[in-house]
Amino acid sequence: MTTPLLGDPASMSALGASLRRTAVHLTADGEALASAVARATPGWRGPRSVQLRGRTSTAAEQTTAVASALDEVGRSLQSAAADLSAAIARLRELEDAAATMGLEVREGAVTRGWGITGVADAAAVRDEDDRRLHLQERVHQSVTALGRHRARLAKDLARAQELLARAADELRR
């Protein structure tokens, strides 16, 4: 493959699945903690119990928020993995199509192969240029779509990072 390394969809999907499993466990832990606080509340008396109940409730709420963020990131990673896999397949198909025309795809550009190619016929050269430009447009569309998918993933990760930072701040109070 003459295109640069695009990424590893399988690893991205596996990480997404792992994050989503962790989110399920955290959700269950948060629910168990909230339930334990609710059951213990009638027996807790005094100022220390109020403070501990408040901290415990905050921990339960933030556990749920973190679980939600992890699930969202996991879903985004799995979606991005599918998009990346499809983009890699499209680019490979385009490289194969270029090779059958005596062209190469190098770093997103469709170029003529090395050496003497084609014939000394102006009409044939124009046809080849048309095919090359059409193929270049398809490569550009695939690379642009891949860039949009990466930007969406980066945005989702940044949003999760902000949520996790807020949760950490809440837990430190």
Side-chain angles (χ1 to χ4, degrees):
M1 184 179 227
T2 56
T3 56
L5 181 63
L6 298 173
D8 180 7
S11 294
M12 287 174 63
S13 183
L15 176 59
S18 177
L19 289 173
R20 295 190 82 187
R21 278 192 304 275
T22 301
V24 168
H25 293 300
L26 274 176
T27 299
D29 291 346
E31 290 170 357
L33 181 58
S35 176
V37 169
R39 283 193 314 270
T41 296
W44 268 348
R45 301 281 182 238
R48 187 85 172 125
S49 67
V50 171
Q51 181 187 19
L52 185 57
R53 254 193 326 268
R55 289 185 57 101
T56 308
S57 294
T58 298
E61 290 168 9
Q62 294 310 314
T63 299
T64 302
V66 167
S68 176
L70 290 179
D71 186 54
E72 183 179 326
V73 168
R75 190 174 318 113
S76 292
L77 280 168
Q78 288 180 317
S79 176
D83 293 340
L84 178 59
S85 182
I88 288 171
R90 274 193 310 274
L91 288 172
R92 284 187 177 146
E93 288 173 7
L94 292 172
E95 282 184 336
D96 290 344
T100 61
M101 291 187 266
L103 302 170
E104 292 180 353
V105 179
R106 271 189 243 122
E107 298 179 13
V110 180
T111 61
R112 288 186 177 88
W114 295 104
I116 300 171
T117 59
V119 295
D121 177 6
V125 170
R126 267 195 313 280
D127 288 345
E128 180 184 289
D129 282 344
D130 289 344
R131 288 191 306 268
R132 185 183 59 76
L133 290 174
H134 177 70
L135 192 58
Q136 178 64 59
E137 183 179 317
R138 291 175 56 202
V139 168
H140 178 70
Q141 289 170 350
S142 293
V143 170
T144 301
L146 183 58
R148 281 194 309 270
H149 297 313
R150 284 183 174 166
R152 185 182 66 223
L153 177 60
K155 182 180 172 185
D156 291 347
L157 293 175
R159 186 174 46 245
Q161 182 180 12
E162 290 171 10
L163 194 145
L164 293 172
R166 278 197 306 271
D169 288 344
E170 284 294 319
L171 291 170
R172 284 188 199 105
R173 292 181 186 184

